[in-house]
Every structure is written in C-alpha cells, then in structure tokens.
Amino acid sequence: MSRIVLKAILGFVMRVLYRPKVEGMERIPETGPVILAGNHVTFIDSLFLGLVVKRPVYFIGKDEYVTGKGLKGRLMAWFFTSTGMIPVDRDGGHGGVAALMTGRRVLEEGKVFGIYPEGTRSPDGRLYRGRTGIARLTLMTGAPVVPFAMIGTDKVQPGGKGVPRIAPVTIRFGEALDFSRYDGMDRDRYVLRAVTDEVMSDVMELSGQEYVDMYATKARAA
C-alpha cells in the first residue's frame, strides 16, 4: 500500500514538473522475471525508473539508507523500501555475493529487477565497463535483459547531490535480450564478459554516451 501511495504522489509531481519522455515501454514484458539494465548518472535514476515503469521495480541499495535513527531514519527507511529498494550490506567481504543472491531471489519470484552494470554512478557522465554480475543473473535465472538509458537526470541532480532542478528527462528502453544460447555457462568468464559487453553496447546506443573500457570505480579513484 505504501508503494502504491508513494508512486501515485511522486508520479503526479514528476509528470507535472518534469514531463518525462518514455520510449520503448512496450518492450518490458508484462509478466514474468525481467532484468532492467542501464546507465547510472545520478542518485535519482532509480526513482525515475521506478515511477515510469508500470510494474514494481526492485533494486539493491546500501543498508545504511534504512538503518538511521530517530524520525528521520524511519522516514528514510520507509521512503527507500517503498520505492523498491532492498537493503544489502555491500561493504562487507561478501557484499557482492549477497547482492547477486538477492537479485536472483527477486527474479525467481517472477519480478522486475533493476541493475546498473557499471556498479556505481558515472564520475563524469561517460559510460564505463560493466561488471559481470548482470551476466550471472540472466544466465542463472533465464530472465531476459531489457537495456535502458537515463538521459537528462544528471542535469536534474548534478553530482548526485543537492535539491533536484527542473530539466528535461528521457527514459529509453531497448529490445529485450535473450541469452538462453549460453544456458549452463554461468561460470565461464569469457561468456560472462561477452554477455555483459553486449548489454553495455546496447545501453551505449540508447544513451549516446561515450564508452570507456575501464571500471567506473577505478576512474573515480583516479
């Protein structure tokens, strides 16, 4: 119920203020498990995606967003969980495995799982090399991958911080990708890289971003 109420309120505000342009919504299957994989340019990407997609979209998020104390902490926890965030401790030694298993569980329940293959927000607006977790998920579950691109959200919230500004936003979805030809090969690192690169190639075409064959975390550290 909280998800429905929040989506109705924020959806109305978003339509009035931003009037986002959505392209290719019909490419998202109406039933069954599906992975939405796209670029990540600012903090509110997940919010925009969850509000425009008709089906509930679930994401992995830092558990620190829901562990705050006091009234503010409870409000933040309600907000993030209502928008589809599943808290996971990603900083621990097994954070990556926990995130992967959580995504697998969501997909095996026939739901929509949103993921940013870059693993973090782009430090400079370019598209960076994808991590192979996306490939493991689609090969383990058989769920199709629908690539998407967030365009303009970096102008709404530059740097991922501060009060959102008013700017045009476009969310563009590509054709669903089926990787059933690699069934049973989810441990082959060459297959995992090929699948990941195919997804990122489609994201690049949809977003129009310059591609950098480097992990975003390395670029951010540099």
Side-chain angles (χ1 to χ4, degrees):
M1 180 61 70
S2 62
R3 173 189 286 270
I4 295 174
V5 172
L6 187 62
K7 187 169 184 175
I9 296 174
L10 289 182
F12 173 76
V13 173
M14 181 191 70
R15 287 191 296 272
V16 171
L17 295 180
Y18 297 100
R19 299 182 180 181
K21 182 180 180 182
V22 182
E23 301 175 2
M25 179 71 75
E26 71 281 356
R27 292 166 173 166
I28 300 176
E30 295 183 359
T31 59
V34 59
I35 301 170
L36 301 182
N39 61 332
H40 195 16
V41 292
T42 192
F43 179 78
I44 59 174
D45 288 334
S46 299
L47 182 59
F48 270 94
L49 185 66
L51 290 174
V52 301
V53 176
K54 297 176 183 178
R55 296 176 62 185
V57 181
Y58 296 88
F59 298 90
I60 295 298
K62 296 180 181 179
D63 61 349
E64 64 189 60
Y65 293 148
V66 299
T67 55
K69 305 297 183 181
L71 178 60
K72 180 180 178 180
R74 290 195 296 271
L75 287 174
M76 287 183 63
W78 172 81
F79 176 81
F80 284 112
T81 55
S82 296
T83 55
M85 193 199 86
I86 302 174
V88 170
D89 180 5
R90 299 187 301 177
D91 295 328
H94 301 286
V97 175
L100 186 66
M101 291 302 100
T102 300
R104 181 176 184 174
R105 174 175 57 80
V106 169
L107 293 168
E108 288 178 342
E109 292 174 355
K111 299 175 181 177
V112 181
F113 185 68
I115 186 171
Y116 302 110
E118 292 169 278
T120 187
R121 294 192 300 271
S122 170
D124 55 15
R126 296 185 293 177
L127 185 69
Y128 284 83
R129 195 181 198 206
R131 296 187 176 275
T132 57
I134 174 69
R136 293 182 186 277
L137 278 177
T138 184
L139 297 184
M140 286 191 300
T141 64
V145 178
V146 175
F148 71 86
M150 309 297 299
I151 303 170
T153 53
D154 55 332
K155 303 297 190 298
V156 173
Q157 195 179 36
K161 299 179 180 180
V163 178
R165 305 172 182 177
I166 305 299
V169 172
T170 297
I171 301 97
R172 185 175 294 151
F173 297 96
E175 296 286 351
L177 301 174
D178 176 18
F179 296 103
S180 58
R181 63 189 182 277
Y182 296 123
D183 186 38
M185 303 177 72
D186 59 281
R187 294 182 180 274
D188 187 314
R189 63 191 182 96
Y190 295 105
V191 169
L192 295 176
R193 174 46 55 192
V195 169
T196 304
D197 288 347
E198 184 174 339
V199 172
M200 297 308 291
S201 176
D202 278 23
V203 173
M204 180 181 66
E205 288 189 17
L206 292 167
S207 68
Q209 291 170 282
E210 176 187 348
Y211 179 75
V212 182
D213 193 20
M214 175 193 299
Y215 291 122
T217 49
K218 182 178 290 187
R220 186 183 297 277

